[in-house]
Amino acid sequence: MNTYIDVPTAPDPATAFRTEGIKLYGPDAFAGMRLAGQLTAQCLDEISEFVRPGIALADIDAFVRNFAERHGARPATLGFNGYNYACCTSVNHVVCHGFPTTKKLRDGDIVNVDVTLVRDGWFGDSSRMYAVGTPRRSAVRLADIAYQAMMSGIGVVRPGATLGDVGHAIQSFAERQRCSIVRDYCGHGIGQVFHDSPNILNFGRAGTGVELREGMIFTIEPMVNLGRPEVKVLADGWTVVTRDKTLSAQFEHSIGVTAEGCEVFTSSPAGLHMPGFDMELTQHA
Ligand code: MF3
Ligand code: CO
Ligand code: CO
């Protein structure tokens, strides 16, 4: 997720329905994104095989480095603005950008693993929540709401819909479940660069903002908190946590707008959308 760069954060009538500056991609780009996205998704699938109590976050990082190397890809976060790991691992009340340190996972933790692999120049950016052992019901519920919030946003993507429609779908779903949306970070355009315009806000008003067009490529990556939406960045300059220390959850897909709706480049080949979670405890909406 990126901090806001060059697109207004609030709906502004002067810039509404502007699409200048947002790249439109053709079939070759979609093919490149499909390969990069599927590689990232396969990496996230394989991580689910060893996430359990007792493993260290650094084990996940080592796996991602090795996976990338074996598949002729590069982890985009390595060296990105001074970030020195192959992925981000955000446990419990960590919202995003957590360092994969030697800290060990414990039974009941929920952890977001965010991986971006670059293959043949295209960036596949995706993250999922993983259950470690048996998280408490509130944690399972939060992860499920974050997943469904992301899918609600993806569900309205089609030519003619607006970015406000996307933000509104995500926000209204999460808030209907009495959870809150983090405002300080957002999704982003992606393609042959990591973070491009436009910003994809996870809140907004239906019918406002940039109109989507076939060929746009971006991420949808809402961060949902059980408590209040406020966050702070720790002294390490990266780790984002909830101010009230309540749990936070996030999922991320890289998608492309098609004539009919959208293509999800980073969908799980193995169907592991919510790795480790007991699906009987999920499904709220
Ligand atoms: N993968 C994150 C995103 O979804 C970005 C992480 S940047 C890092 O955009 F430097 F923190 F790794
Ligand atoms: Co992203
Ligand atoms: Co990401």
Side-chain angles (χ1 to χ4, degrees), residues 14-282:
T15 53
F17 304 109
R18 241 183 31 179
T19 53
E20 306 98 82
I22 302 176
K23 300 182 187 82
L24 301 178
Y25 295 92
D28 292 350
F30 273 59
M33 284 300 295
R34 201 171 294 136
L35 287 175
Q38 284 300 289
L39 191 67
T40 297
Q42 186 191 334
C43 182
L44 291 173
D45 281 355
E46 292 187 18
I47 286 167
S48 70
E49 291 166 21
F50 63 89
V51 167
R52 65 179 116 77
I55 72 141
L57 296 172
D59 299 336
I60 300 175
D61 199 59
F63 178 85
V64 175
R65 281 176 197 246
N66 181 266
F67 181 95
E69 201 172 285
R70 281 185 284 123
H71 291 89
R74 170 174 71 85
T77 55
L78 262 186
F80 174 75
N81 289 344
Y83 190 87
N84 277 318
Y85 301 96
C87 63
C88 300
T89 51
S90 303
V91 182
N92 295 338
H93 77 294
V94 179
V95 175
C96 61
H97 304 165
F99 292 161
T101 62
T102 54
K103 177 187 155 80
K104 287 184 170 145
L105 289 169
R106 293 164 47 164
D107 185 27
D109 285 344
I110 54 171
V111 57
N112 174 279
V113 181
D114 191 338
V115 172
T116 308
L117 295 180
V118 191
R119 181 192 227 177
D120 295 333
W122 296 97
F123 287 62
D125 186 6
S126 184
S127 81
R128 299 180 201 161
M129 299 303 295
Y130 295 74
V132 183
T134 314
R136 52 202 303 166
R137 205 181 167 82
S138 55
V140 174
R141 176 176 171 270
L142 175 68
D144 186 41
I145 291 165
Y147 180 75
Q148 294 197 51
M150 173 186 69
M151 294 311 287
S152 303
I154 291 173
V156 300
V157 172
R158 57 170 176 79
T162 70
L163 286 179
D165 293 339
V166 174
H168 175 77
I170 293 167
Q171 178 183 20
S172 58
F173 180 83
E175 292 182 351
R176 217 181 300 134
Q177 309 292 331
R178 282 168 285 104
C179 290
S180 65
I181 291 287
V182 172
R183 311 300 173 104
D184 307 66
Y185 299 89
C186 58
H188 48 92
I190 194 165
Q192 291 177 298
V193 295
F194 200 170
H195 296 129
D196 207 347
S197 68
N199 290 322
I200 309 297
L201 304 191
N202 298 306
F203 56 93
R205 277 186 19 231
T208 66
V210 167
E211 190 175 302
L212 298 176
R213 290 175 61 183
E214 183 178 354
M216 288 180 178
I217 293 178
F218 51 85
T219 72
I220 295 188
E221 48 177 310
M223 283 138 280
V224 180
N225 297 349
L226 260 190
R228 294 192 52 79
E230 291 82 12
V231 300
K232 66 175 179 187
V233 181
L234 298 186
D236 63 23
W238 283 100
T239 310
V240 181
V241 299
T242 56
R243 278 193 175 269
D244 65 8
K245 304 224 176 44
T246 59
L247 294 178
S248 187
Q250 178 180 33
F251 285 84
E252 173 177 28
H253 273 315
S254 294
I255 71 174
V257 183
T258 62
E260 305 292 320
C262 71
E263 175 173 350
V264 179
F265 299 122
T266 46
S267 62
S268 167
L272 299 168
H273 309 304
M274 291 189 58
F277 288 92
D278 179 349
M279 295 317 287
E280 279 171 29
L281 291 177
T282 62

